[in-house]
Amino acid sequence: MRQRLKDVAERAGVSVKTVSNVVNGYVHVRPDTRARVEEAIAELNYRPNLSARHLRKGRTGVIALAVPELDIPYFAELARYVVTAAAAYGWTVLIDQTGGRREQERVVASGITDHLIDGLIFSPLALTAEDLAGLDGTPMVLLGERVEHGPADRVMIDNVTAAREITEHLIQLGHRRIAAIGSQRTDEGASARLRLAGYADALRAAGLDYDETLVAPALAWHRADGATAMRGLLTSGVRPDAVFCFNDTLALGALRALHEAGLRVPEDVAVVGFDDIEDGRFSIPTLSTVAPDKARIAHLAVELLANRLDGDRAAPAKALSAPYRLELRESTQTR
Amino acid sequence: MRQRLKDVAERAGVSVKTVSNVVNGYVHVRPDTRARVEEAIAELNYRPNLSARHLRKGRTGVIALAVPELDIPYFAELARYVVTAAAAYGWTVLIDQTGGRREQERVVASGITDHLIDGLIFSPLALTAEDLAGLDGTPMVLLGERVEHGPADRVMIDNVTAAREITEHLIQLGHRRIAAIGSQRTDEGASARLRLAGYADALRAAGLDYDETLVAPALAWHRADGATAMRGLLTSGVRPDAVFCFNDTLALGALRALHEAGLRVPEDVAVVGFDDIEDGRFSIPTLSTVAPDKARIAHLAVELLANRLDGDRAAPAKALSAPYRLELRESTQTR
DNA sequence: CCATCGTTCTACAACGTTGTAGGCAACGTT
DNA sequence: AACGTTGCCTACAACGTTGTAGAACGATGG
């Protein structure tokens, strides 16, 4: 059976509260008493009941990370960094998948995990600012650009500038017919909108036309969607000499479609992605990409949450920016 | 402020317990009373305090999944299936990363999350049966072949047979110098041992020599390790005509190394992996592999846990086997 | 020798929930 | 008319923990 403070107390011949004090490191406990209690704890293999502790203290030591899908490598890698960053604060991370569905995201935001978690790090895809308005609950940190003017703390990267820079790199390499894969309806994808804006900025600055037939939408951002979009571009006959995919999995799908079409990358078509997932470092060819500093994103998010928990919950929401860099690999190098 | 049963009760003009009964779907509540209570719940946006509920009931509705690393695609995909399977039981899944380190795995097994979770699904890499002996705590389901004779329920696939079958397939295709990548010291990798055994079985049955120089170890099973091992095989001059990698990420790394060496897959060297991760369906070439039924594995694990929770905790441990199939793609097809 | 103070410890209540026991009507049965 | 049964509801206690208040004790200072 599981042991309680009471069992330890009886064995050590002290009160329940004294055991509690020992467990919590309270200073005014005589060394010999402390020793007796610790011995009893060890003998009974006592572990605190976290639910009871939480009920009393109002803290669980658990935070949640809600992401659309774990088998999207970007989120899996991010999850890993968040778990690591949270460990530094003694927190356990509960990971929730929303599937990117608005309904599920609302459930998560309004706290299905209520009372179980101290805080929430949330990467929404479909949520709107209205969904968040009037939430009094758990402190929350949003990742990404979705919900720009909400009431919660945020961590993002400058998508527009990053997209502009990687597009500019393609232009510098001499590409002139640069396609984009991954556009979405405005109400769906905030990242898509911003990356498209950066792409368009770069073209405009270089005096190139923005050609709608070169912009391919992608409902989701999986490999299959990237492959489908690329095949569409190829069969439509627009013949791009470079492709900017709005994330790496799209790009990996595009690489596949180009390969099937007998086109060489980067000789015939250059390809760039966004996210710097591990696959891109081993794909054939390796993938040039925008590499957000995921460790930093995770660290900032956890830190914001910690400040919110320990400090002023009513303080105005902060929006922090994490750095990124361009990771240039084979898919853009003309050897 | 957060609302309690008491607040709802006052607003609805009933006792606290009646509200509790409504929340829990107790049948003997007059429809009009139920309506009043539900209205009050909606108005106050009441959510149960899970810690308090747990304290009273001894159940949290949370199970944990402990895996070595989330950014290993196989575990990310598995995690997704476990979350889905658990949702059918109304459970939330807390995901823990052990890093595959024995110390951390012991902490998880002995219950760092003690009292917070109802059960644990655990994919250990380094744990031993002794580490598990004498654990009285949370019900646990182990995934994989590590800890074969422990006291806990298990779900696995028949690694030896699967490895034998995919090796036999290579032999049928006419390959004679088949390398293996991913062997490990016996005390480290149970999967490695079993897959190596299946590989050796197939060679023996076909009358081929087991050549130690064709077997390359890999400390971890990441892409980088696969690439390193493959480069090692190539520079050692053993010239395999096929490679069986003990998982898909190793295989993706091997593909990369073969590409760098100017060798064509499958024309010069055929490559097979194990796990059927999504990347393998889009790699160049696409990867032939052993595809364990991950959905089934997850489902069985959750079901075992449910039985353990609702049924006899002292019942003898069960070991269930999940199916797999060979997924034959471009990396073995001679076109 | 008494008042004061810090140290060490204990008793009690409370966190929000649900199980148990029981009360009160309304109903059907004898 | 008396009785048991059923439906609906309430009061109370308990889950294991920690904050608060305060008791007991010895040490210190006047």
Side-chain angles (χ1 to χ4, degrees):
Chain A
M1 256 320 290
R2 205 143 261 174
Q3 305 296 336
R4 303 157 299 164
L5 282 182
K6 189 168 173 236
D7 303 310
V8 178
E10 279 167 11
R11 186 168 194 110
V14 297
S15 77
V16 168
K17 189 61 214 286
T18 299
V19 181
S20 169
N21 286 339
V22 169
V23 170
N24 290 283
Y26 182 65
V27 284
H28 295 307
V29 179
R30 275 213 320 272
D32 62 317
T33 310
R34 180 183 301 277
R36 268 208 330 285
V37 170
E38 281 171 347
E39 194 179 344
I41 287 176
E43 283 169 7
L44 296 178
N45 190 30
Y46 166 78
R47 314 262 172 179
N49 180 320
L50 294 185
S51 287
R53 177 177 284 175
H54 173 224
L55 181 59
R56 194 62 182 77
K57 307 227 295 186
R59 287 275 189 101
T60 54
V62 178
I63 63 172
L65 170 68
V67 295
E69 290 178 56
L70 264 182
D71 51 1
I72 295 179
Y74 177 74
F75 291 116
E77 294 183 15
L78 190 67
R80 180 186 163 77
Y81 285 112
V82 168
V83 170
T84 306
Y89 286 84
W91 284 330
T92 306
V93 178
L94 186 152
I95 298 180
D96 235 330
Q97 287 184 109
T98 61
R101 281 163 293 132
R102 182 164 173 212
E103 197 38 52
Q104 182 62 23
E105 291 191 341
R106 280 163 72 173
V107 167
V108 168
S110 75
I112 190 174
T113 46
D114 230 4
H115 293 288
L116 207 159
I117 58 168
D118 294 341
L120 173 63
I121 298 177
F122 191 5
S123 181
L125 277 191
L127 206 74
T128 66
E130 296 95 70
D131 292 332
L132 288 180
L135 286 183
D136 53 347
T138 313
M140 189 185 313
V141 176
L142 297 173
L143 302 182
E145 309 73 19
R146 181 94 206 163
V147 193
E148 294 205 53
H149 303 290
D153 292 331
R154 280 190 304 138
V155 179
M156 5 148 258
I157 66 160
D158 185 345
N159 269 281
V160 177
T161 310
R164 182 161 56 69
E165 286 182 12
I166 192 113
T167 309
E168 281 170 355
H169 177 71
L170 289 172
I171 296 171
Q172 272 170 23
L173 290 175
H175 301 288
R176 288 297 173 268
R177 296 188 52 72
I178 303 172
I181 291 182
S183 71
Q184 298 182 325
R185 292 212 324 272
T186 313
D187 58 328
E188 279 177 340
S191 298
R193 183 164 47 76
L194 298 173
R195 290 174 195 177
L196 185 62
Y199 161 81
D201 284 356
L203 294 185
R204 194 178 317 116
L208 295 173
D209 277 346
Y210 174 88
D211 179 354
E212 271 206 353
T213 63
L214 281 171
V215 177
L219 196 62
W221 280 4
H222 294 181
R223 289 178 183 80
D225 304 294
T228 306
M230 189 71 236
R231 287 187 201 112
L233 284 173
L234 294 176
T235 53
S236 76
V238 294
R239 285 286 151 193
D241 55 10
V243 190
F244 170 28
C245 300
F246 289 175
N247 86 348
D248 279 0
T249 41
L250 284 172
L252 292 171
L255 285 183
R256 177 75 210 162
L258 288 165
H259 172 77
E260 286 168 1
L263 291 167
R264 291 165 306 160
V265 177
E267 293 83 351
D268 301 323
V269 183
V271 175
V272 298
F274 204 112
D275 283 351
D276 187 32
I277 65 176
E278 204 202 332
D279 319 31
R281 276 167 244 159
F282 291 87
S283 58
I284 299 170
T286 54
L287 185 64
S288 296
T289 190
V290 175
D293 189 337
K294 299 185 198 90
R296 184 101 189 112
I297 292 173
H299 177 80
L300 288 174
V302 170
E303 200 172 54
L304 280 173
L305 213 47
N307 290 341
R308 196 54 76 172
L309 284 171
D310 294 332
D312 184 4
R313 294 200 178 207
K318 277 194 224 172
L320 300 183
S321 209
Y324 63 89
R325 54 176 208 290
L326 300 192
E327 201 61 67
L328 303 174
R329 306 204 183 95
E330 293 168 0
S331 69
T332 50
Q333 275 163 24
T334 29
R335 277 161 298 191
Chain B
M1 257 322 288
R2 205 143 262 176
Q3 305 296 334
R4 301 156 301 164
L5 281 183
K6 191 170 170 230
D7 304 309
V8 178
E10 280 166 10
R11 186 168 193 112
V14 296
S15 78
V16 168
K17 189 62 213 287
T18 298
V19 181
S20 170
N21 285 339
V22 169
V23 170
N24 290 283
Y26 182 64
V27 283
H28 294 309
V29 180
R30 273 211 321 273
D32 62 316
T33 311
R34 181 184 300 276
R36 270 209 328 284
V37 170
E38 281 172 347
E39 193 179 346
I41 287 176
E43 283 169 7
L44 296 177
N45 190 29
Y46 167 79
R47 315 263 171 181
N49 181 320
L50 294 185
S51 287
R53 177 177 283 175
H54 174 223
L55 180 58
R56 194 61 183 78
K57 307 229 294 187
R59 287 274 190 101
T60 53
V62 179
I63 62 172
L65 170 68
V67 295
E69 289 180 56
L70 264 182
D71 50 1
I72 295 179
Y74 176 75
F75 291 116
E77 295 183 15
L78 190 67
R80 180 186 166 77
Y81 285 111
V82 168
V83 170
T84 306
Y89 286 84
W91 283 331
T92 305
V93 178
L94 187 153
I95 299 179
D96 235 330
Q97 287 184 110
T98 61
R101 279 164 294 132
R102 181 163 175 214
E103 198 38 54
Q104 181 63 21
E105 292 191 342
R106 282 165 70 173
V107 168
V108 167
S110 75
I112 189 171
T113 47
D114 228 7
H115 293 287
L116 207 158
I117 57 169
D118 294 340
L120 173 63
I121 297 177
F122 191 5
S123 182
L125 277 191
L127 206 73
T128 65
E130 297 94 72
D131 292 332
L132 289 179
L135 287 181
D136 53 346
T138 314
M140 189 185 313
V141 176
L142 297 174
L143 302 182
E145 308 72 20
R146 182 94 205 163
V147 193
E148 296 203 53
H149 304 289
D153 292 329
R154 281 192 303 139
V155 179
M156 5 145 259
I157 66 163
D158 185 346
N159 269 281
V160 177
T161 310
R164 182 161 53 70
E165 287 183 11
I166 193 114
T167 310
E168 281 170 357
H169 177 72
L170 290 172
I171 296 171
Q172 269 169 24
L173 288 175
H175 299 289
R176 287 298 172 267
R177 295 188 53 73
I178 303 172
I181 291 181
S183 71
Q184 299 182 324
R185 291 211 325 270
T186 312
D187 57 327
E188 281 177 338
S191 298
R193 183 166 45 77
L194 298 173
R195 291 175 194 177
L196 185 63
Y199 160 82
D201 283 357
L203 295 184
R204 194 179 316 117
L208 296 173
D209 276 346
Y210 175 90
D211 179 354
E212 271 206 353
T213 63
L214 281 170
V215 176
L219 198 61
W221 279 4
H222 294 181
R223 289 179 181 78
D225 304 294
T228 306
M230 189 72 237
R231 287 186 200 111
L233 284 174
L234 293 176
T235 53
S236 76
V238 292
R239 285 287 152 192
D241 54 11
V243 189
F244 170 29
C245 301
F246 289 174
N247 85 349
D248 279 0
T249 40
L250 284 173
L252 292 172
L255 285 183
R256 176 76 212 161
L258 288 166
H259 173 78
E260 287 167 1
L263 291 166
R264 290 165 307 159
V265 176
E267 292 83 352
D268 301 325
V269 182
V271 175
V272 297
F274 204 113
D275 282 351
D276 187 31
I277 65 176
E278 205 204 330
D279 320 30
R281 276 167 243 158
F282 291 87
S283 58
I284 299 171
T286 54
L287 185 63
S288 296
T289 191
V290 175
D293 189 339
K294 299 185 197 91
R296 185 102 189 110
I297 292 173
H299 177 79
L300 288 174
V302 170
E303 201 171 54
L304 279 173
L305 213 48
N307 290 341
R308 198 53 77 172
L309 285 171
D310 293 331
D312 184 4
R313 295 201 176 206
K318 278 194 224 172
L320 300 182
S321 207
Y324 62 89
R325 53 175 209 290
L326 300 192
E327 200 61 68
L328 303 174
R329 307 205 183 95
E330 293 169 1
S331 68
T332 50
Q333 276 162 23
T334 30
R335 278 163 299 192

